[in-house]
Amino acid sequence: MSDTESYIYRFSWDKEDLKEYYWKEHYVKQPEVLAYLEHVVDRHDLRKHMQFNTELMNASFDESQDVWRTETSTGDVFTSRYLITALGLLSKQNWPDIKGINTFKGELYHTGNWPKQHDFTNKRVGVIGSGSTGVQVITALAKEVKELVCFQRNPQYSVPSGDGPVSQEYRDWVNANYDEIWDGVRNSMVAFGFKESEIPAMSVPEEERQRIFQENWDKGNGFRFMFGTFNDITIDEQANEAACNFIKSKIAETVKDPEKSRKLMPTEPYARRPLCDAGYYEKFNQDNVHIVALKETPIVEVTPKGVKTSDGAEHELDVIVFATGFDAVDGNYTRLRIHGRRGESLKDHWESGPTSYLGMCIPNFPNMFMITGPNGPFTNIPPTIETQVEFVASIIRHGEGKAVIETTQEAEDAWVALCRELCEGTIFHKAPSWIFGANIPGKKYSVLFYFGGLQKYRERLTEVVKNHYEGFRIDYPTQESRL
Ligand code: NA7
């Protein structure tokens, strides 16, 4: 389930389609996301430009011709002036290296590669992980399995999602206000469509603070709770603690078994990607839903029968679901061989952690543009994708489709420094999450996002264009296009 409202979890540029396309609930689920994308492809006759079941194996910039040569798993070599990568920032699955994982005799799944069909009726299911996906999967599976064992490392803060059917009245309001809605999204921090708060948490009396928390809890959505309640939950420790205490009081109120409640109680600041759910904590009131606190009893090994923890317990299971997330942002880049000028590999360029200028370009990798590359904005993703695609299209158009466009090391260094500075001003770096690559053992800790928000990001891009594509060298070939 996406946790962005359905009406802005889509493309903004086809206004007619925006108004006509049907969705039934506040949040779209995976089959609806896929159906929507297929619909867009068909509606705009895009399929003829696409080649499926093809993996990019390696890509090199040929300096003698100023072109990219890209090899694919089908054995094809494509030559192009520009290379635009949209490899996905959350798609390389993270399978933890747990002893004995291959000895398990039951079914093994990763949430990033969910089967088209499954039948867990009367089965004992273990879920490892309790991030956005783990919380959703646990909530959904609790009602269909015999036993559910949740292996949780760090307890998280989750608030209600507020999902439900969309009434005709609501849809009419969206349709009547679409232009203003998109304007609000583009001129906001996290681009989630709700009004972001402009008041600090401690600027109001305690009673009013609790009222605002409750109001947003009732409306639902994790990002709304983090950014719609007060404007300093992610930057001020006292404000953050107030939000933590409110959510903890809800967990204590909801989970009846004191031992389960203790294990589910978060201990960190509210500093990871905010989560929301459709009744996660309530599920632990079911006798068949169990919680194992891995910080107290870590997993020792996976056995043919299940999962063994350090207290000697062997949790016998028919199915293990890994909801262990992704090697985020650069994970899909570093497993490929991408070479820029003088054969420099992307892996080498990113030896101290992934970097870019504006989340899209890398020095020594001319004419390569990343959509949602490292150091891009931390937002609802579709509006950021559109923003970056518009920018890339504009710079290629500016170069008349034949120029060599390359960012400079200075521009990249300055952008990376800005990203670090913005992050240091937030509480996000107080939790070791995928936002910093901290979920992958051995991965270098880096600031993978720009925390200035979508509005400021778009303003920066406008300035870059106004200043004649500041931070880029644009060289026109001496002869007519060499392609
Ligand atoms: P996340 O948010 O990275 O969550 C992964 C979960 O798996 C998290 O609870 C981790 O615990 C846990 N994990 C990871 N490795 C292990 C090991 N080795 N042992 C036990 N537990 C482990 O991934 P999601 O798929 O939920 O969400 C990723 C994003 O995708 C999401 O934010 C959306 O934007 C879309 P930890 O918290 O690190 O202790």
Side-chain angles (χ1 to χ4, degrees):
M1 181 190 84
S2 147
D3 60 2
T4 307
E5 284 272 357
S6 305
Y7 61 86
I8 49 167
Y9 201 65
R10 56 196 60 245
F11 299 117
S12 72
W13 42 263
D14 186 341
K15 289 194 177 177
E16 196 182 275
D17 196 50
L18 274 180
K19 292 196 175 174
E20 285 171 0
Y21 194 84
Y22 174 75
W23 61 85
K24 59 177 192 274
E25 285 162 334
H26 284 283
Y27 301 114
V28 276
K29 317 300 177 298
Q30 184 273 340
E32 292 164 301
V33 176
L34 180 60
Y36 169 71
L37 292 172
E38 288 181 337
H39 157 80
V40 173
V41 166
D42 292 335
R43 182 174 161 92
H44 294 279
D45 196 17
L46 302 176
R47 216 170 280 271
K48 61 179 186 249
H49 301 296
M50 297 177 172
Q51 180 172 323
F52 294 94
N53 301 315
T54 302
E55 194 175 354
L56 188 152
M57 306 305 285
N58 67 67
S60 307
F61 186 67
D62 176 347
E63 289 185 83
S64 69
Q65 301 283 303
D66 290 335
V67 293
W68 278 93
R69 301 207 194 275
T70 308
E71 274 182 59
T72 66
S73 53
T74 49
D76 297 308
V77 179
F78 294 91
T79 301
S80 64
R81 173 73 65 207
Y82 299 103
L83 175 66
I84 302 174
T85 56
L87 298 176
L89 58 89
L90 290 155
S91 65
K92 186 187 172 195
Q93 295 155 34
N94 169 36
W95 282 92
D97 186 15
I98 300 175
K99 189 178 152 199
I101 206 165
N102 296 324
T103 66
F104 184 59
K105 291 271 186 267
E107 301 164 55
L108 208 59
Y109 300 102
H110 192 288
T111 49
N113 186 19
W114 195 243
K116 284 216 168 84
Q117 277 161 356
H118 71 272
D119 180 6
F120 294 164
T121 333
N122 286 325
K123 290 188 181 158
R124 299 159 303 173
V125 179
V127 176
I128 302 181
S130 40
S132 317
T133 316
V135 161
Q136 283 192 20
V137 137
I138 289 166
T139 309
L141 293 183
K143 47 183 177 286
E144 63 177 81
V145 304
K146 186 172 162 202
E147 297 288 332
L148 189 62
V149 186
C150 309
F151 297 90
Q152 165 203 266
R153 198 159 59 181
N154 279 290
Q156 303 228 23
Y157 296 91
S158 186
V159 309
S161 67
D163 196 14
V166 168
S167 66
Q168 190 55 46
E169 198 188 359
Y170 183 84
R171 183 63 199 260
D172 292 344
W173 169 82
V174 169
N175 279 358
N177 294 283
Y178 241 133
D179 288 343
E180 294 93 280
I181 288 171
W182 281 117
D183 199 47
V185 166
R186 294 187 191 109
N187 289 299
S188 70
M189 177 97 177
V190 291
F192 268 71
F194 56 79
K195 186 166 170 3
E196 291 164 359
S197 175
E198 288 168 0
I199 53 164
M202 295 303 143
S203 69
V204 297
E206 172 67 13
E207 202 179 316
E208 174 63 359
R209 197 160 44 245
Q210 296 305 317
R211 190 196 64 73
I212 293 175
F213 280 139
Q214 184 65 48
E215 184 182 46
N216 284 278
W217 176 274
D218 293 339
K219 283 184 187 159
N221 191 291
F223 275 87
R224 184 199 296 279
F225 196 84
M226 195 177 245
F227 294 94
T229 47
F230 299 103
N231 68 358
D232 56 352
I233 300 289
T234 60
I235 52 175
D236 180 83
E237 286 188 12
Q238 224 183 336
N240 192 275
E241 201 182 332
C244 292
N245 289 340
F246 183 88
I247 303 175
K248 283 182 189 171
S249 73
K250 294 291 186 189
I251 301 172
E253 218 173 84
T254 310
V255 183
K256 305 297 176 217
D257 177 332
E259 188 56 6
K260 284 185 185 173
S261 176
R262 184 186 69 76
K263 288 181 178 166
L264 286 162
M265 206 56 76
T267 50
E268 294 175 335
Y270 186 30
R272 292 173 185 251
R273 180 217 192 277
L275 313 186
C276 62
D277 65 82
Y280 173 65
Y281 296 113
E282 283 85 348
K283 297 293 181 238
F284 290 91
N285 291 332
Q286 292 181 202
D287 290 339
N288 67 333
V289 180
H290 314 278
I291 179 94
V292 177
L294 295 182
K295 287 212 147 166
E296 295 167 12
T297 54
I299 295 175
V300 178
E301 62 176 327
V302 173
T303 67
K305 285 202 245 163
V307 172
K308 209 180 234 180
T309 42
S310 65
D311 53 354
E314 186 170 19
H315 304 270
E316 294 196 11
L317 301 165
D318 304 302
V319 180
I320 305 179
V321 175
F322 280 82
T324 43
F326 303 93
D327 181 354
V329 184
D330 57 319
N332 262 349
Y333 283 87
T334 44
R335 73 194 175 105
L336 301 171
R337 293 184 297 276
I338 300 183
H339 291 92
R341 286 201 190 281
R342 295 172 290 282
E344 185 190 11
S345 78
L346 196 53
K347 247 188 211 157
D348 288 344
H349 187 79
W350 285 352
E351 211 195 340
S352 316
T355 49
S356 79
Y357 177 46
L358 304 171
M360 292 183 272
C361 301
I362 311 162
N364 283 337
F365 292 78
N367 289 357
M368 174 176 150
F369 301 96
M370 298 174 290
I371 307 301
T372 68
N375 302 135
F378 184 72
T379 64
N380 168 32
I381 293 292
T384 286
I385 292 174
E386 278 195 24
T387 299
Q388 294 188 330
V389 168
E390 279 162 18
F391 181 84
V392 171
S394 99
I395 199 166
I396 291 177
R397 216 179 296 122
H398 180 78
E400 295 169 25
K402 45 192 177 188
V404 177
I405 302 164
E406 186 174 357
T407 189
T408 61
Q409 191 58 56
E410 297 72 46
E412 185 187 67
D413 290 346
W415 182 254
V416 170
L418 174 67
C419 289
R420 285 198 187 128
E421 191 189 315
L422 288 168
C423 181
E424 273 159 24
T426 76
I427 288 172
F428 281 110
H429 64 92
K430 302 219 161 161
S433 72
W434 62 261
I435 296 176
F436 303 97
N439 60 328
I440 304 293
K443 185 165 170 170
K444 282 213 172 91
Y445 177 94
S446 343
V447 174
L448 294 174
F449 288 94
Y450 164 82
F451 280 99
L454 186 60
Q455 179 181 19
K456 290 239 156 39
Y457 180 70
R458 289 176 64 90
E459 286 168 4
R460 180 76 192 109
L461 294 185
T462 305
E463 264 172 46
V464 166
V465 175
K466 234 184 359 205
N467 296 335
H468 311 285
Y469 290 95
E470 185 185 352
F472 288 96
R473 267 197 313 268
I474 302 185
D475 296 326
Y476 291 87
T478 42
Q479 316 148 20
E480 224 356 68
S481 173
R482 293 190 203 134
L483 261 184

